[in-house]
Amino acid sequence: MPMNAILLIAHAPLASALRAAALHVFPDAGAAIQALDVQAADAVEDTLASAQGALAALPTNQCVLMLTDVYGATPCNVAQRLADGACARLLAGVNLPMLLRAVSYRHEPLQAMMRKAMDGGVQGIVPVAGPTGAGPARTASAE
């Protein structure tokens, strides 16, 4: 059974930074993860062409989970156009826990992989300090 691939499309330099962090944890996943950093001055059609190239660089026998940073922004809109008619799913709001979970579950069916990635993204948001977290509360004078 082929594994799913991951395409990161986000505002520069987030996509490349997330890919590098994922490969730090999963160095053998490099061929299955592509990243496209969208520059502020890039035209939408140029971004779409670059995204099509990044998608084509992934193994052809795999479905693709596309991860973008902000719903409604250019990276997400471009990814939506790529996902139409393809064996692909798209999630906006990517964070590193989401990506690591997606890489961990690449062998699952695409829909299950997507759900695991969503769970990882949400579960990765944890209050650590302050009144709702485990650490000591900061006072106004400490800020």
Side-chain angles (χ1 to χ4, degrees), residues 4-111:
N4 298 307
I6 298 167
L7 177 58
L8 297 158
I9 305 176
H11 293 90
L14 184 58
S16 293
L18 285 169
R19 182 179 188 273
L23 294 181
H24 176 78
V25 178
F26 298 101
D28 61 332
I33 306 171
Q34 286 292 319
L36 175 62
D37 288 316
V38 178
Q39 304 296 325
D42 290 351
V44 173
E45 292 305 316
D46 293 339
T47 301
L48 179 60
S50 296
Q52 289 167 331
L55 185 61
L58 291 168
T60 57
N61 63 338
Q62 297 180 343
C63 291
V64 179
L65 179 61
M66 297 182 199
L67 303 174
T68 67
D69 50 0
V70 180
Y71 176 77
T74 299
C76 185
N77 295 339
V78 165
Q80 281 183 289
R81 290 173 65 181
L82 282 181
D84 284 345
C87 181
R89 295 289 184 274
L90 172 60
L91 291 176
V94 66
N95 59 28
L96 186 56
M98 176 188 288
L99 176 57
L100 295 177
R101 185 74 64 93
V103 175
S104 294
Y105 288 94
R106 288 187 305 122
H107 62 282
E108 296 284 330
L110 186 58
Q111 189 68 26

